[in-house]
Amino acid sequence: MFRVRDDFRRAQVAIAALFCFLGLQYATWASRLPAIKSKLDLGEAEVGLLLMACGAGAAASFPLVAILTRRLGSRLLALLSAFALGVLLLALAVAPNYPVALLIICLDGVAVGCLNVAMNAQGAALEVRYQRTAMAKLHATFSGGSLCAALLASGMNALTSTLAAHFAVAAVLLALLIGYARPGLLTEDEAAPKAAPEPAADEPAPAGRRRLSMPSRITIWMGCAMAFGTVTEGAMNDWSALYMKDVVHASAEVAPLGIAVVSVMMVLARVFADGWRTRWGDGRIVRVGSVLAGAGLAVALVVGGVVPALIGFACVGLGVAAVTPCVYVAAARAGSDALALVAAMGTTGLLAGPALIGFIASGSSLVWGMGAVAASALLVSVCATQIHWTSVTDADADADADVNTDTDAEPAPNPAPADRTPLTDAPA
């Protein structure tokens, strides 16, 4: 825990603490699933339902998240949902039976949905307020939190097999992250727009109307891009090792390298992606990256072999790394309702993707299943051509949201005034 004097860096590190928090919290209980299974005497199907309950809670939280974001603001919603996640982690450690654990995990999914939207709204507000890219590095810290959780689980397993002790230590770390993040988060005044533009005919109603409305065409395209992107990510995490073992007949030592290559490339790409976004624009990064991912994987499937597979997997990790950060920024600038819907569709893709690939593989072969992953990556590029992309230095981020003839949105030569307020919660 350290102090940062620069206003931008202080806010960036505070928001990064939220991303790290979510990765740490989720991976903590996920890493102890074997212990939870043994403690509650669960079968394989019950464990699968437990995992589905978390995702279902996150996906179903869309209406609630949209309302809470408007009423509470992203800062307060992030802090409340983070506090709830810490409490739910402790509750899971002492859950007496399966139904109670199922309820806790479902509520955990709802809280995850709330924090996911709130912290991405904070990240988008940070970019607009300071006219600097930051979202990709923020998403990289989520992976860092997951890594910390894995190391903590390994260390605690060496000391004790008690879930309560492990989750109590994790809860202390989570509380420290919340305490460190709270002072540096952007306030609601900073996140509020100066003036709301008039909505187009097919756009959501102004924020003064407190009921949900039909999403705009642009929002639907953003949701589809997010869904196809998370399908690609989720399927690679779940099926790459099996493809290496069963299709290209890699050794037991080499087979796990598939997921390792994807993960390492994603983290490295997210570290550098903010600079790429500043130079080339979000739209171009998403389109070129998704084409690289889809084409690289497709070529690897056609050629076959261990080395081509690893190269294809590296292309996927490099190509899709910036997709979710860029789409989250675009959705946040379209308003809280759009951000909540896009986040829900991303969660749905992350859940449905691996299962869909499994159905395709069982009906034909895993090669065709991985081919569907390549097609999903290419579909991200198609969706990206229909999205109105804006850079953090654009003078008018809300102008003509439905005009998509120029989707590159290159960074403007002259930065916007320093006192410009973010558009994160502005109605589309």
Side-chain angles (χ1 to χ4, degrees):
M1 300 297 181
F2 55 91
R3 294 183 179 181
V4 182
R5 296 184 181 278
D6 178 74
D7 289 342
F8 170 77
R9 293 300 181 191
R10 182 165 58 248
Q12 183 185 33
V13 172
I15 299 168
L18 293 179
F19 280 81
C20 182
F21 178 103
L22 188 56
L24 177 63
Q25 195 273 351
Y26 176 79
T28 293
W29 68 262
S31 66
R32 297 305 301 269
L33 274 176
I36 295 173
K37 176 184 177 183
S38 176
K39 176 188 174 183
L40 300 179
D41 193 22
L42 306 180
E44 299 295 336
E46 291 171 315
V47 173
L49 183 59
L50 202 65
L51 292 171
M52 287 295 295
C54 180
S61 65
F62 157 61
L64 176 65
V65 173
I67 294 172
L68 291 178
T69 303
R70 288 198 302 265
R71 293 186 177 180
L72 302 178
S74 60
R75 180 179 185 275
L76 183 56
L77 179 60
L79 294 174
L80 291 177
S81 55
F83 175 78
L85 285 169
V87 173
L88 288 169
L89 184 64
L90 295 174
L92 182 61
V94 296
N97 51 53
Y98 179 64
V100 173
L102 199 63
L103 175 61
I104 292 172
I105 291 297
C106 185
L107 293 175
D108 186 273
V110 174
V112 165
C114 292
L115 180 56
N116 185 36
V117 171
M119 68 187 190
N120 278 285
Q122 283 277 310
L126 175 71
E127 290 197 341
V128 177
R129 179 173 180 80
Y130 293 99
Q131 304 293 290
R132 297 167 69 178
T133 54
M135 187 67 87
K137 288 188 179 68
L138 294 177
H139 279 256
T141 60
F142 175 88
S143 300
S146 299
L147 176 61
C148 290
L151 296 176
L152 176 64
S154 178
M156 292 301 298
N157 272 324
L159 296 175
T160 177
S161 60
T162 307
L163 276 177
H166 178 191
F167 287 5
V169 172
V172 171
L173 295 178
L174 294 175
L176 291 174
L177 286 171
I178 297 176
Y180 183 72
R182 187 185 63 83
L185 295 179
L186 301 179
T187 64
E188 191 60 24
D189 289 338
E190 290 170 330
K194 286 183 178 180
E198 289 297 322
D202 61 342
E203 295 292 325
R209 303 176 191 176
R210 293 301 179 183
R211 64 178 184 274
L212 294 176
S213 56
M214 291 296 293
S216 70
R217 175 173 52 86
I218 300 297
T219 299
I220 293 174
W221 280 114
M222 288 189 290
C224 291
M226 179 66 76
F228 289 126
T230 54
V231 163
T232 304
E233 288 186 37
M236 291 303 298
N237 288 334
D238 288 359
W239 290 101
S240 57
L242 193 60
Y243 175 85
M244 293 287 292
K245 178 178 180 294
D246 292 349
V247 178
V248 300
H249 306 295
S251 64
E253 293 79 14
V254 175
L257 291 180
I259 186 171
V261 166
V262 176
S263 301
V264 169
M265 290 303 295
M266 287 193 68
V267 172
L268 289 176
R270 283 177 172 172
V271 169
F272 295 102
D274 285 324
W276 302 340
R277 293 173 57 212
T278 301
R279 183 173 182 178
W280 292 302
D282 290 8
R284 186 171 299 171
I285 292 296
V286 172
R287 292 196 304 277
V288 174
S290 54
V291 169
L292 172 65
L297 181 57
V299 171
L301 296 175
V302 172
V303 174
V306 173
V307 174
L310 292 176
I311 295 175
F313 292 171
C315 290
V316 174
L318 177 62
V320 303
V323 169
T324 51
C326 291
V327 176
Y328 270 126
V329 169
R333 290 174 182 168
S336 56
D337 288 355
L339 178 59
L341 177 59
V342 168
M345 292 184 70
T347 303
T348 302
L350 198 62
L351 287 173
L356 178 61
I357 302 308
F359 286 133
I360 296 175
S362 64
S364 54
S365 69
L366 186 53
V367 174
W368 284 103
M370 296 299 286
V373 178
S376 179
L378 293 173
L379 286 173
V380 173
S381 182
V382 175
C383 296
T385 62
Q386 304 300 314
I387 299 173
H388 177 68
W389 299 98
T390 56
S391 72
V392 296
T393 55
D394 283 339
D396 188 2
D398 280 339
D400 302 323
D402 279 334
V403 178
N404 50 45
T405 55
D406 180 14
T407 56
D408 285 330
E410 299 296 332
N414 296 320
D419 62 346
R420 180 171 182 238
T421 52
L423 305 175
T424 302
D425 292 325

